[in-house]
């Protein structure tokens, strides 16, 4: 058993080191890629054609839904949702330190996203028609990042309260992020590389920060003690023996 635990611990450390390395490399690479795209007219034209394909061929109801999604995952709504989730976390866990750590894990990657956004300063897509676009730079996608931030906060609450729902929650979160990313293409607000960058780097940064907090004992999961039938039977027998000896 000890050998198994040691092997499992070593494997976890290796995987975490791999995660840290990949996250660092991509965090350095994405701004460079963003700058390189700015000087590549063929890439810009190709991505504009993809955006035009989504925008021009989407049914009207999808266009309307995409606008609703844009409002829900805007900066103001994202902050409001995170505040509500923080209050829910505080109510559930009764521990403000846990809530603060959850907010830090969820929001710290946003600093990177906005730093890259204004460092690269990529213009919004131009598909040849008049489309109302946000004034801030395009790369990476802030709405996609906001979706990941909200999903991260929810998953951190689930991680402590209902760990058994974690896998299904991650699947739903991934689906939500994909929907938000596609909606940004439908309204012609982002290039494919904008949404892909946020969808890739934000979860990696959030997971890295999570493990860093956990490594320092600032965020631990609740251990679930499994009780089987034999355990209950042994407890009953021990109680009966103790009562008999007392008599």
């Amino acid at each position: 058993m000890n050998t198994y635990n040691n092997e499992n611990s070593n494997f976890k450390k290796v995987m975490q080191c791999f995660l840290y390395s990949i996250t660092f490399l991509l965090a350095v690479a994405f701004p460079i890629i963003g700058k390189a795209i700015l000087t590549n007219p063929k890439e810009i034209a190709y991505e504009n054609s993809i955006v035009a394909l989504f925008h021009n061929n989407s049914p009207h109801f999808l266009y309307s839904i995409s606008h609703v999604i844009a409002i829900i995952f805007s900066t103001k709504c994202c902050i409001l949702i995170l505040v509500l989730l923080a209050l829910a976390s505080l109510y559930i866990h009764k521990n403000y330190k846990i809530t603060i750590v959850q907010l830090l894990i969820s929001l710290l990657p946003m600093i990177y996203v906005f730093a890259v956004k204004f460092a690269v300063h990529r213009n919004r897509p131009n598909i040849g028609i008049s489309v109302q676009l946000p004034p801030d730079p395009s790369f990476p996608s802030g709405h996609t990042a906001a979706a990941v931030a909200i999903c991260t906060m929810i998953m951190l609450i689930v991680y402590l309260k209902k760990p058994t729902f974690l896998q299904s929650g991650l699947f739903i979160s991934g689906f939500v992020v994909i929907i938000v990313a596609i909606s940004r293409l439908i309204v012609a607000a982002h290039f494919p590389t904008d949404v892909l960058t946020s969808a890739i780097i934000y979860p990696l940064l959030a997971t890295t920060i999570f493990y860093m907090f956990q490594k320092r004992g600032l965020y631990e999961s609740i251990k679930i003690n499994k009780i089987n039938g034999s355990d209950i039977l042994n407890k009953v027998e021990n109680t009966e023996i103790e009562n008999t000896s007392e008599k």
Side-chain angles (χ1 to χ4, degrees):
M1 182 63 72
N2 289 333
T3 303
Y4 172 78
N5 289 336
N6 289 334
E7 289 178 354
N8 190 40
S9 178
N10 290 333
F11 177 75
K12 187 176 180 180
K13 288 179 181 178
V14 170
M15 292 306 295
Q16 286 182 6
C17 288
F18 179 74
L19 170 68
Y20 297 156
S21 302
I22 290 296
T23 303
F24 176 77
L25 289 172
L26 288 177
V28 172
F30 278 133
I32 298 171
I33 294 171
K35 281 290 187 182
I37 291 173
L38 295 180
T39 58
N40 191 335
K42 288 184 179 180
E43 175 63 24
I44 294 172
Y46 176 68
E47 289 200 55
N48 269 320
S49 67
I50 295 174
V51 175
L53 182 68
F54 275 90
H55 182 79
N56 297 331
N57 294 284
S58 296
H60 182 71
F61 77 93
L62 281 183
Y63 191 75
S64 301
I65 291 171
S66 296
H67 273 291
V68 174
I69 291 172
I71 295 170
I72 294 172
F73 293 97
S74 64
T75 303
K76 291 179 181 178
C77 283
C78 176
I79 292 171
L80 177 61
I81 292 169
L82 287 172
V83 168
L84 293 175
L85 287 173
L87 292 174
S89 172
L90 196 59
Y91 176 78
I92 293 168
H93 303 305
K94 305 293 190 297
N95 189 325
Y96 74 92
K97 291 182 180 179
I98 287 177
T99 302
I100 290 172
V101 170
Q102 288 173 338
L103 284 171
L104 287 173
I105 295 170
S106 302
L107 285 174
L108 281 176
M110 194 67 76
I111 298 173
Y112 171 85
V113 169
F114 276 94
V116 174
K117 184 183 279 284
F118 287 98
V120 175
H121 217 280
R122 185 184 194 183
N123 292 328
R124 296 281 175 168
N126 181 7
I127 57 174
I129 59 176
S130 178
V131 179
Q132 187 176 358
L133 298 173
D136 59 316
S138 182
F139 180 92
S141 168
H143 280 72
T144 307
V148 180
I150 291 169
C151 290
T152 300
M153 187 68 182
I154 294 171
M155 286 298 94
L156 289 170
I157 296 171
V158 171
Y159 178 78
L160 291 182
K161 186 63 178 177
K162 294 286 185 181
T164 52
F165 293 161
L166 193 60
Q167 188 171 359
S168 56
L170 288 171
F171 176 79
I172 294 170
S173 296
F175 180 75
V176 169
V177 172
I178 291 170
I179 293 297
V180 173
I182 292 174
S183 74
R184 301 310 287 158
L185 300 180
I186 291 173
V187 297
H190 280 289
F191 294 100
T193 47
D194 299 341
V195 297
L196 279 172
T197 299
S198 288
I200 293 170
I201 196 62
Y202 207 106
L204 288 175
L205 288 171
T207 306
T208 299
I209 295 167
F210 166 77
Y211 280 130
M212 290 173 69
F213 274 113
Q214 195 178 54
K215 189 176 180 180
R216 287 158 178 77
L218 297 173
Y219 202 80
E220 296 294 336
S221 63
I222 296 173
K223 294 180 180 178
I224 301 174
N225 297 319
K226 295 181 180 179
I227 302 176
N228 53 38
S230 60
D231 292 333
I232 296 172
L233 182 60
N234 290 334
K235 287 182 180 180
V236 172
E237 289 176 348
N238 291 334
T239 303
E240 290 178 350
I241 292 170
E242 288 175 1
N243 293 334
T244 306
S245 62
E246 287 176 0
K247 291 178 181 180

